[in-house]
Amino acid sequence: MAKIVLGIGTSHTPMLNAPVGDWARFIERDRLRPHLTKEGRPVTYEELVKLAPPEVTAQLKPEVFADKHQRALAEVERLGAIVRNARLDTLIVVGDDQKELYDDDNMPSILLYRGETIRNVPLASHPGPDWARAASAKYFEKDQPRDYPVDARLAEHLIARLMEDFDLSCANTLAEGYGEGHAFGFVHNRLLAGTVIPVVPVFLNTYYPPNQPTPARCYRLGQALRAAVESFPGDQRIGVLASGGLSHFTVDEELDGRVVRALRAKDARALVDLPREQLNSGSSEIRNWICMAGAVEHLEPRRIEYIPAYRTPAGTGTGLCFADWS
């Protein structure tokens, strides 16, 4: 039977695409975007500044930025090498779509992609300064669209098995001119870095109410993915990767600590009991990790590296996390 032999979790923030000298420039974007407190209450950037603990200031020194940037990029390289060397037949990628392909007129809660290929296209436009555009562009192809292979046969099998317990959406193509979103582009253009491994994209609506899957449902989906993989004929080696997270745009070390401790302890109850009001905005991508954790609960965590990457006096940034199971 096919087996899940590898689990990967990785942040995919543009901070990982930007040179360290641009980290302080994210304040230009953070001042303009809507924010949530750690408890999930809407606030302005100015209100977040007032709420931020005084020790955040020490996290904004150039030498601190440089250390965290170097460590984070080393983790991206480490995980990329693990995936590229794992002899995988297929990589199931669990990510979210931030209205890059799906919008309010059709927002699937859970979607499995079953086309023969999935397209990645160059970044066409970006509402922001050139430095921010350069960081976002690294998720995507430089010059020409590229079609990446999808394990359509496995995807069809997963859909058929999961439909016994989940009401899934599915797609076999992308609209003309559109390509995969950044959660999936990060995997192709940063982690795999030219290595071709067929994927099965799993889209979770982590961001947008009212049909976000609950933490418990995400974990059960992961478990169901594993059971479906193990009923697939053959001896294929399958990996499952969670793209995104942890907390952002406000870094929440307490929330991230709960997630990391639960992952290390393989504590499913702690993961499904995470408060939903805290799993919104960028922190909603923790749902992708919960799903992956359910799929790899038979594997052992090898290394989980957490880096709270603050970037402004308001405490905004990303709780960077990089982990593997085998």
Side-chain angles (χ1 to χ4, degrees):
M1 67 179 182
K3 292 182 179 180
I4 293 175
V5 298
L6 177 69
I8 294 286
T10 179
S11 298
H12 63 217
T13 170
M15 294 175 75
L16 296 172
N17 294 340
V20 67
D22 285 348
W23 273 22
R25 302 179 73 174
F26 276 88
I27 193 171
E28 300 173 25
R29 311 298 307 281
D30 289 351
R31 279 175 173 157
L32 301 177
R33 73 170 85 245
H35 292 283
L36 299 173
T37 64
K38 295 176 182 179
E39 297 74 32
R41 178 174 60 85
V43 288
T44 64
Y45 175 84
E46 290 73 21
E47 289 173 314
L48 273 184
V49 172
K50 296 176 182 178
L51 293 171
E55 54 266 27
V56 166
T57 304
Q59 299 293 318
L60 308 179
K61 296 178 180 179
E63 61 270 24
V64 176
F65 280 173
D67 173 68
K68 292 185 177 182
H69 185 264
Q70 181 180 27
R71 288 162 53 202
L73 293 191
E75 286 299 308
V76 173
E77 288 300 316
R78 181 182 72 85
L79 292 185
I82 289 172
V83 176
R84 294 191 298 269
N85 295 329
R87 298 181 291 110
L88 297 178
D89 296 291
T90 304
L91 180 63
I92 298 171
V93 181
V94 184
D96 55 303
D97 181 82
Q98 294 175 30
K99 297 188 176 178
E100 295 152 302
L101 293 175
Y102 307 106
D103 212 324
D104 288 332
D105 61 345
N106 180 22
M107 183 64 70
S109 178
I110 304 169
L111 181 145
L112 263 70
Y113 185 86
R114 61 186 181 92
E116 295 289 337
T117 62
I118 190 164
R119 188 182 316 119
N120 186 298
V121 303
L123 183 64
S125 62
H126 187 278
D130 287 345
W131 67 266
R133 186 188 191 283
S136 293
K138 291 185 178 180
Y139 297 114
F140 308 108
E141 302 305 305
K142 290 183 179 180
D143 302 309
Q144 298 293 328
R146 180 175 178 180
D147 292 321
Y148 287 93
V150 173
D151 189 340
R153 182 167 165 260
L154 176 60
E156 294 275 5
H157 174 83
L158 295 179
I159 292 167
R161 290 305 179 103
L162 292 174
M163 283 301 297
E164 296 177 6
D165 297 298
F166 294 85
D167 296 320
L168 301 177
S169 298
C170 61
N172 64 357
T173 190
L174 305 180
E176 186 65 31
Y178 285 81
E180 64 183 359
H182 71 288
F184 303 90
F186 184 85
V187 175
H188 279 132
N189 280 304
R190 293 299 307 278
L191 280 189
L192 295 183
T195 300
V196 177
I197 300 174
V199 297
V200 174
V202 178
F203 294 79
L204 298 185
N205 173 30
T206 72
Y207 253 77
Y208 304 107
N211 66 333
Q212 299 157 290
T214 65
R217 189 163 179 79
C218 291
Y219 196 87
R220 290 197 299 271
L221 176 63
Q223 292 175 309
L225 280 168
R226 177 191 170 195
V229 164
E230 291 179 349
S231 69
F232 189 61
D235 57 357
Q236 291 89 339
R237 293 169 56 84
I238 310 297
V240 180
L241 183 147
S243 179
L246 295 180
S247 66
H248 62 291
F249 295 96
T250 304
V251 177
D252 187 343
E253 293 190 54
E254 190 280 330
L255 173 63
D256 292 342
R258 291 178 63 180
V259 174
V260 170
R261 288 191 297 272
L263 292 171
R264 285 191 173 125
K266 300 171 67 171
D267 187 345
R269 175 51 56 190
L271 290 172
V272 304
D273 284 345
L274 289 170
R276 297 185 208 175
E277 64 272 14
Q278 292 183 268
L279 300 183
N280 288 299
S281 186
S283 301
S284 71
E285 292 174 343
I286 291 170
R287 288 178 168 87
N288 298 330
W289 287 68
I290 296 171
C291 179
M292 178 270 298
V296 303
E297 60 183 3
H298 62 299
L299 303 180
E300 294 300 321
R302 306 294 294 178
R303 174 169 169 168
I304 302 177
E305 183 72 13
Y306 175 71
I307 305 170
Y310 295 92
R311 64 195 189 200
T312 75
T316 60
T318 305
L320 301 174
C321 197
F322 310 93
D324 63 294
W325 285 255
S326 64

